[in-house]
Amino acid sequence: MTIAQTPPMGWNSWNVFGAEITAETVMGISDAFIETGLADAGYEYIVVDDFWHADQRVNGRLMWDEDKFPDGIRPVADYVHSKGLKFGIYSCAGSHTCGGKPASFGYEEVDAQTFAEWEVDFLKYDYCYVPPGVDATTLYQRMGQALRATGRPILYSICEWGSNHPWLWGSKVGGHCWRTTGDIDDSWESIVDIGFIRQKGLDPYAGVGHWNDPDMLVVGMYGSGNPQVAKGGCTDIEYRTHFSLWCLLAAPLMIGCDVRNMNQATRDILLNPAAIAINQDALGRTGYFVGETLYAYQSAEVWAKPLAGGSLAVGLFNLGDMQQRRITVAWESIGLHPQRACDVYDVWRDETIGGIKGSFTAYVDSHDVALLRITPQP
Ligand code: GLA
């Protein structure tokens, strides 16, 4: 099965809709995927997170909330498929979901079967209300096996928050990606914590078909939506920095804002083809932390992601709150000979400077990034 050969791209209901997700919204998001060009840009999975469920199983089967999904789940999946998109759903390895709805512990096989019958293409599998004495690997392996046994290719998105180092066993239990941290929220502090601090050192564990997942994108939320996530909001510069890092990290690009109402700044970030190409690069390498310069407890960081064909993507990030910084990437620090002439393409400025040797320096504003594609000349 060739699932997740590049990091999954799509949308998830949690960040904006939380407990209020409905069939109508999911269908509207699917329409917006087509109208806005998100589908053409590669965004594919429409995922319904927690709170789609009724409070009780019926005949041992998970049941939908009839107010939110009056015709059930399958017609919604059919609608998503009719747009050429893929449909995802959410369950949990414990007895209940994090929101307290019935979940899959002890029902792994029947639930996987139900999801396959609904023609689900993606399962996000959470870690709340797990029974004592059963380890995470065992629980995730059970659902991995149950999904495989359905015969339907279903992308398995492990959401265990990194507590038990899922990067060590996620792929063995059939996972195509695994959350490496707790939940992101819509604030600069959260982006720094989850993205810059907690992803360092995790690059060796991911690759084609199995990806580190630093959680969903908060780009375009501007502090509105599910109160558990929508904490204050960010500036467009901060959202662009967030997106740039997620592209370098080969992270799943799961949009969390309401794509039916995106402003131009949000579109420009989420639809930038050169940024997406870095994320989706066929080599499947995860970006790594090259180094930092410290200024009174605030840093400028350099991250690099080797790309197929010998280019590298590099991010020069100014994490400081106060002022512009000069940030330099030395060719030697990313494996290039100092005398090697390279073309440097600045993704957000959409301009190329040719024939650079030794190093490249950019002036980067507070919380901003220079996202570069560095290509050695032949
Ligand atoms: C957990 C997950 C979130 C979201 C909620 C839903 O907190 O980490 O991503 O799925 O549960 O209740």
Side-chain angles (χ1 to χ4, degrees), residues 328-348:
T328 297
V329 55
W331 275 197
E332 270 187 312
S333 71
I334 53 172
L336 292 171
H337 192 281
Q339 289 310 313
R340 191 63 197 260
C342 295
D343 295 331
V344 178
Y345 173 69
D346 183 316
V347 168
W348 297 113

Side-chain angles (χ1 to χ4, degrees), residues 311-312 316 327 329 331 336 340-363 370-378:
S311 302
L312 290 118
L316 309 179
I327 311 179
V329 55
W331 275 197
L336 292 171
R340 191 63 197 260
C342 295
D343 295 331
V344 178
Y345 173 69
D346 183 316
V347 168
W348 297 113
R349 290 187 175 178
D350 188 24
E351 59 187 36
T352 302
I353 305 176
I356 306 280
K357 290 185 179 174
S359 66
F360 183 83
T361 297
Y363 291 85
L371 180 63
L372 312 171
R373 188 182 182 109
I374 300 179
T375 306
Q377 289 181 347

Side-chain angles (χ1 to χ4, degrees), residues 10-17 21 25 28-30 32-33 36 38 43 46-47 186 216-226 229-230 239 242 253-263 265-267 269-270:
W11 178 88
N12 175 297
S13 61
W14 179 246
N15 285 2
V16 165
F17 297 96
I21 184 62
T25 303
I29 296 284
S30 309
F33 259 50
T36 59
L38 285 167
Y43 294 92
I46 307 272
V47 179
D186 182 19
M216 294 173 274
L217 298 167
V218 295
V219 176
M221 288 183 68
Y222 301 106
S224 73
N226 174 2
V229 184
Y239 287 138
H242 164 41
L253 297 180
M254 299 302 289
I255 299 171
C257 71
D258 186 348
V259 298
R260 299 170 306 179
N261 306 302
M262 287 186 289
N263 66 13
T266 300
R267 287 171 193 241
I269 296 170
L270 295 175

Side-chain angles (χ1 to χ4, degrees), residues 18 31 49 67 69 72 74 77 99-100 115 117 127 137 144 171 194 208 219 320 329 339 342 361 373:
D31 295 343
D49 205 282
D67 292 332
F69 293 87
R74 175 65 193 268
F115 298 146
E117 284 167 17
Y127 197 58
T137 322
S171 133
I194 287 188
V208 171
V219 176
V329 55
Q339 289 310 313
C342 295
T361 297
R373 188 182 182 109

